[in-house]
Amino acid sequence: MVTETNYEPLSEPKGKQLMGVASSNVSTGIFKSGEFLPELRGTRAIAKYREMRDNSAVIGAVLYAVEQVLRDVALNVVPADKSEAAVADAKFVEECLNDMEHSLDDHVSEAVSFLWMGFSWFEVVYKRREGLDTKNVKKRSKYNDGRIGVRKLVSRAPWTISKFAIESKTGKILGVHQRESAFTGRNSDSLIPSNKSIYYRTTAIDGDPSGRSILRNAYTSYTYLTNLQSIEAIAVEREMHGIPIGRIPSEYLAADATDAQVAIRQQMERMLADMKLNAQGFALLPSDLLLDSEGKSTGGVAARLVDVELMTSQGNRNIDIGPIIDRYQHDIARSVLSEFLMLGTNGGSYALSKSKTDLFLRALESYINTVADVLNKQLVEPLWELNSLPVETMPRIEAGDVAPHDLRELGSYLRNLNGANIDLSDEPDVINALLQNAELPQVDPAKIVVKAEERKALEKSKVAAKEKPVKAEAPKSRKEVLEEEVLQQTLEVLKNDSLS
């Protein structure tokens, strides 16, 4: 029992020791092992989330929008500093990203699958860069410097992975076990180590290596929506086609029916089923009538010995299923911050649309930043280690802007800065950043500095000219003042004489 008296103070060895685990189910390596719903645990979770991705129109639209927007975001390689060595090493990383067998956009498109599954795994295949003239396809490169580059980033589909390889004491992810039956036919697993992989994950809640799907909160709405859509389709079919109803004498349905009666009954059942499946366009029935005990027909439609009709509803329903379906669709879109996709069906203001769209784009910004962070940690760092390059010059991959900036709001902000006497015209980095936001070509920073200095020199010369003292006139003598007064009076007299 731990008490205040025997409670040990924190020491360095104790501080470095790992004493607990994130979750009791992490060590198994099974997908979603901590999930309380059995259908969203293990390989069943992969199948269910894949079904939601492929079968739901709303989820498909959201994921398509995410993929297309993130594909268009630039991933820029930023040098560690402005030194020549750092700039050269940043160029090396750019070369590696552009020298793969596939484009970086294709990788991003596959990488965003971690959103709906919770994680995505890629095996990194490296190569020795020996130029385009080499006969070895595995070493072919645009560059011939002998460095180790990246040949390709190969996706490992979640449904081909059996489980994660977890270190039992620390919970560290060592790799994944991939079923070899997926590509060799052998019923065994192949370990793909994490130090040769790129591993994306939405979140590390409870230490779950399989992350958490962004579709998790939409599961209940998706389930009810799917059931309601099926019910609606069945109701429409029954309303339009009806249900085939057949009538035969009761002895044909009895347990002691003869073989001939059973054969007629079975033929009737096949005919009704074919009519239901639209596999039969007509029904050929006998014209025999049902006779009474005296051998006479009872008359009317009820007198037919065998009869077929289509039973339809009256078209009246107590519940309108349309609004319920719309509500579940909105719930699915709302769970992934994409409700703006549903605006317009029932109206909606521009302000509401803009706020919802901005929130969605902010979420996409965090997703693409996750991709950039993983590439820095699991691709750039191993490249540096394999090529024995100095850590001081290791660059970073940074994501660009997800959405274009509102130039009207940006212009208003700049005018406010100018009104506060904040002059940014001599800041090359700020000017080029503003031009980049407007998707305009950037200007040489040296030219900006020169023009700023010329402008300042011109302003100083203008200020100096205004402040130059004006030479004061010498005071007039008494004689000069009297002469001016006499002259002025003489002019006045002459002016009056001419008027008279």
Side-chain angles (χ1 to χ4, degrees), residues 48 68 184 254 400 423 487-488:
K48 176 56 67 173
Q68 296 305 313
T184 64
D423 186 10
L487 178 61
Q488 185 67 25

Side-chain angles (χ1 to χ4, degrees), residues 368-385:
I368 195 62
N369 286 334
T370 298
V371 173
D373 292 341
V374 171
L375 289 175
N376 286 319
K377 187 68 178 178
Q378 302 179 21
L379 183 65
V380 177
E381 289 187 10
L383 272 176
W384 244 239
E385 182 179 353

Side-chain angles (χ1 to χ4, degrees), residues 381-439:
E381 289 187 10
L383 272 176
W384 244 239
E385 182 179 353
L386 290 172
N387 289 283
S388 301
L389 297 174
V391 180
E392 294 77 15
T393 60
M394 184 170 61
R396 283 188 55 82
I397 298 176
E398 295 183 358
D401 296 324
V402 173
H405 293 268
D406 191 333
L407 299 182
R408 183 178 301 175
E409 293 182 358
L410 187 58
S412 176
Y413 175 68
L414 292 175
R415 283 192 297 271
N416 293 336
L417 291 179
N418 189 36
N421 294 326
I422 300 177
D423 186 10
L424 300 175
S425 59
D426 56 349
E427 299 291 339
D429 295 337
V430 176
I431 293 176
N432 280 329
L434 293 173
L435 292 174
Q436 184 178 4
N437 291 339
E439 298 182 357

